[in-house]
Amino acid sequence: MEQYRAFSTEEAIAYAKELPDRFPSSASLHAEEIGDGNLNYVFRIKDSESGKSVIFKQALPYVRVVGGDWPLSLDRARIEALALKLAADACPGLVPEVYSFNQEQALIVMEDLHDHLILRKGLIAGKRYGNLSRDIGIYMARTLFYSSDLYMNPVEKKARQIQFHNPELCKITEDLVFTDPYWDAPSNNIPGEIRDFVEPFLWQDEALKREVAILKHAFVTKAQTLVHGDLHTGSVMVTDLGTKVIDPEFAYYGPIGFDVGAMLANLLLSYCAQPGHRVDSQQTVEYRSYLLQTIEEMWLYFEAEFRRLYETETTEPMAKTAGFYDWYIQQILQDAIGFAGCKMIRRIVGLAHVADIDTIANTEMRVAAQKQALAIGAALIKGRQQATGIDAILAIIDTAR
Amino acid sequence: MEQYRAFSTEEAIAYAKELPDRFPSSASLHAEEIGDGNLNYVFRIKDSESGKSVIFKQALPYVRVVGGDWPLSLDRARIEALALKLAADACPGLVPEVYSFNQEQALIVMEDLHDHLILRKGLIAGKRYGNLSRDIGIYMARTLFYSSDLYMNPVEKKARQIQFHNPELCKITEDLVFTDPYWDAPSNNIPGEIRDFVEPFLWQDEALKREVAILKHAFVTKAQTLVHGDLHTGSVMVTDLGTKVIDPEFAYYGPIGFDVGAMLANLLLSYCAQPGHRVDSQQTVEYRSYLLQTIEEMWLYFEAEFRRLYETETTEPMAKTAGFYDWYIQQILQDAIGFAGCKMIRRIVGLAHVADIDTIANTEMRVAAQKQALAIGAALIKGRQQATGIDAILAIIDTAR
């Protein structure tokens, strides 16, 4: 193995030429660095003769968006490759195919989803996806069930947990999601227009902060299953009919509700952003209705598939006790609602924002969306423990309007 | 390093002679295998000239009490040695000193506590220990605090969690404490006299089994801190004034309440056993009162020291939020009460019993103690979520009488 080096486009092409069975010998390869994330290089390597292409995802030894001052373990590439493989086994077709993985180069060679769009961009554009709620519900149910104690042999589960030892990326979440938004941290990125609102609303609300501290405690202690760890609408790629979940480099053993909550949060951020992207209030009302329906259906698909797996494939004998499932699914729901609140708030005042809201050109509309996201986020965090079904989210949104 | 071999007394002596600075060159060494546990060899190596002695604790590659049919990882010796070292740092004087550790031989060379008695034997004999509740309270508070997310850097905590990867010993607890007592498992050791009682009382009570399943879920997912993992009254050695906690080979990252609950359970098993060991009911009443006082004081010492550490040494910023501590200590208490119930029940019907009860010669008294332990255990499991203070245990005992 050669020593790690961050690839140039030329080095990416040279590496691609050596891949067995990937391109014909006559290939005329071109490489383009297309990464728009915060952490990695993403190259598209394309043969202009055959039209065939692949993606190279290479981890960088630092946080790309910040630079060399924030070093980050290359081991996350191994974690991502392994998580994608497990997800492919659990729900074939819902993740990109991994062709090969080079640990030394922290490089994943994988399927090019060139005909797919990042879901977040589709939502901003007001598109609708007929299979999205089903696909994501199924993806979550299957990936989250099959790595849990409900299904896995307990010794094998603990071995898998070690494979997904991911302390540096967990630390990013611990800081950026669960800590920094709740004080005047240098990492925060607080829009100037709402700074005066944030201090009393987030920093002086001890009841809110206490609930966030409890959710942070769950994030760091509740090793229920292998979670994706960063399941926002930028980690989902879509076509009109197809869905692929990408980028599980934050994968670790955590609470099941963390993934579910991340999806809820990002759909609700889109909900808040709608007036800034639609031409009139009628369009806003209609698309918001679609988003709330997507949330509801996604949960119902998730819950139905998770229940089916529980009923047919649970190996853990005590989990089969009457009433256990109801308890189990309810704590997933309540965790998910709480985590959703944390994820909404951090996307408004924390380091990393979402395009849904930041691209709203009209200042008044953008500020309204930001304040609404903070209000819904806080209400979800504080109201989660009364939730017994997904309709609780709709009620909480109502109170926060 | 030589290949692992289970020592004979002769091999133990030969090994002891090679230890630097342990015995004088003129030593006349004798070795005796004194292990009464289920898993290991314990040799006392003594110099009859100087009177100096040491303990060799050597893990066997199988469960001693069962034999070669139940293989068990030797890695538990490493875990025990490391846990003893961390405990010595956290609370000097409350664990035996480890002189050396030989990984290849799965051998710990440690302080001989020859003037100490196993606490369980002292309780059966009706002795009282003036410093016990304080020492155990302090031991639990300090060991459990310093390996938790309240205190540790999150990256270091996760690294320590991996050091205490202990799946085989966890599996023993998962099976023997949280699973087998709740069905007609071959591993169970159900006293013939209460067999007819057990089926309706444990196996047909779905509400009880559901709560046990929830507690088992906490045992396998709630990675709060490094717990001792087997903190019963056979893992504590005492003199009139001194206390040492031994045998942390089950150590792993689990719920704080698991250790606290194990102590509660074993003191309550002693409580149930009292009529079988005292000469009259007056003696029983008095010693039971002592035991309940010990439980109460142990919790109060634990809680006071844990609170002091929380207030002065917490590094986790979100945990400092107003109200978080009250939530945190309450979940420890409720977990502890629930785990205590599970640990009582398993000591009556599961594989490993306790001498407190099994040595009661009078059948009627022994059966009464067994049934009382099952009743208190079930009441603790079902009643834990209403507990807001240690006095809840006294109320639960009252209802189960």
Side-chain angles (χ1 to χ4, degrees), chain B residues 141-177:
Chain B
R142 298 181 71 87
T143 58
L144 299 170
F145 177 82
Y146 282 120
S147 286
S148 77
D149 288 291
L150 296 176
Y151 178 75
M152 286 191 86
N153 169 294
V155 172
E156 289 169 8
K157 179 249 186 170
K158 291 174 185 79
R160 182 171 291 177
Q161 187 175 357
I162 285 193
Q163 287 185 298
F164 287 93
H165 176 63
N166 200 0
E168 292 186 31
L169 279 82
C170 286
K171 181 75 162 62
I172 292 176
T173 302
E174 287 157 30
D175 290 344
L176 298 190
V177 176

Side-chain angles (χ1 to χ4, degrees), chain B residues 3 6 21 62 100 114 146-147 150 187 223 254 270 294 315 338 378 384 388:
Chain B
Q3 206 188 341
D21 307 324
Y62 50 81
S100 63
H114 56 83
Y146 282 120
S147 286
L150 296 176
S187 74
S270 175
T294 300
T315 63
R384 72 190 189 284
T388 56

Side-chain angles (χ1 to χ4, degrees), chain B residues 9-24:
Chain B
T9 50
E10 291 73 23
E11 287 169 319
I13 289 170
Y15 190 92
K17 284 187 172 162
E18 300 300 316
L19 290 172
D21 307 324
R22 188 51 52 199
F23 293 106

Side-chain angles (χ1 to χ4, degrees), chain A residues 154-166:
Chain A
V155 173
E156 289 169 8
K157 180 249 186 172
K158 292 175 185 77
R160 182 170 290 176
Q161 187 175 356
I162 285 194
Q163 288 185 298
F164 287 93
H165 176 63
N166 200 0

